[in-house]
Amino acid sequence: MAIGAQNAFVLRQGLRREHVLPIVLTCAFSDALLIVAGVAGFGALIESIPALGQAMRWGGAAFLIVYGARAFLSAWRGGETLEAGKAAGSLRAALLTCLALTWLNPHVYLDTVVLLGSVSAQYVALPFGVGAVIASFTFFTALGYGARLLAPVFVRPMSWRVLDVLVGLIMWVIAATLLLG
């Protein structure tokens, strides 16, 4: 599993212990909707309308380039650490960011709608879809709440810089694959 923009955000929120439950639920329910759409055949719709796929690809690449640049800027600025008394960002801002990283990211559609949609054609749709939704809820819960196990590592500013650089690199690699693929 490669970490994408959405997963990196959930990990960061889990490390900070900021709004973890709403973020996990937002990601999992969004994923569930996309899984249902894929299993129900939306993947075939995207494949049948090339312009839609192209728009998702180019828009998504632009989005990932900007998100990666923000991660690199954060790494360059540095100074971030985990502190018990650090004020959390607003729930509204966290949820809006989460929704943007989910619904504006073409990788989410490719992985969830197109890939799972095409794989599901080989199986009985209902059990496959239910299993995929359960796996999604399990994954986001483990990522959001399991991140606290990494908290001791992220008390050091250099750890955040490394994470931000890795996230930036991953976002730009995904953007490049979208643009070149």
Side-chain angles (χ1 to χ4, degrees), residues 45-96:
L45 174 67
I46 291 173
E47 289 177 359
S48 70
I49 304 173
L52 179 60
Q54 284 291 86
M56 286 175 55
R57 193 171 117 200
W58 287 97
F63 173 79
L64 291 170
I65 288 168
V66 170
Y67 190 81
R70 289 184 62 192
F72 286 127
L73 181 61
S74 179
W76 183 68
R77 288 181 180 158
E80 191 166 356
T81 61
L82 274 180
E83 299 170 11
K86 187 170 184 173
S90 75
L91 175 60
R92 181 179 187 273
L95 288 175
L96 288 174

Side-chain angles (χ1 to χ4, degrees), residues 59 61 73-74 76-77 81 87 111 113 130 132 135 140 149 170-172:
L73 181 61
S74 179
W76 183 68
R77 288 181 180 158
T81 61
D111 289 346
V113 178
V130 169
F140 284 113
L149 299 174
I170 291 167
M171 296 308 103
W172 282 9

Side-chain angles (χ1 to χ4, degrees), residues 116-150:
L116 275 178
S118 60
V119 170
S120 72
Q122 302 171 31
Y123 302 96
V124 179
L126 184 61
F128 181 89
V130 169
V133 167
I134 290 170
S136 176
F137 271 82
T138 303
F139 171 75
F140 284 113
T141 301
L143 184 62
Y145 287 103
R148 68 183 57 197
L149 299 174
L150 296 173

Side-chain angles (χ1 to χ4, degrees), residues 6-18 67 71 74 80 82 143 147 160 163-164 167:
Q6 180 192 50
N7 296 343
F9 182 73
V10 174
L11 178 63
R12 178 176 292 275
Q13 292 300 117
L15 286 168
R16 290 180 171 167
R17 297 181 187 181
E18 292 179 349
Y67 190 81
S74 179
E80 191 166 356
L82 274 180
L143 184 62
W160 285 100
L163 178 64
D164 284 332
V167 168

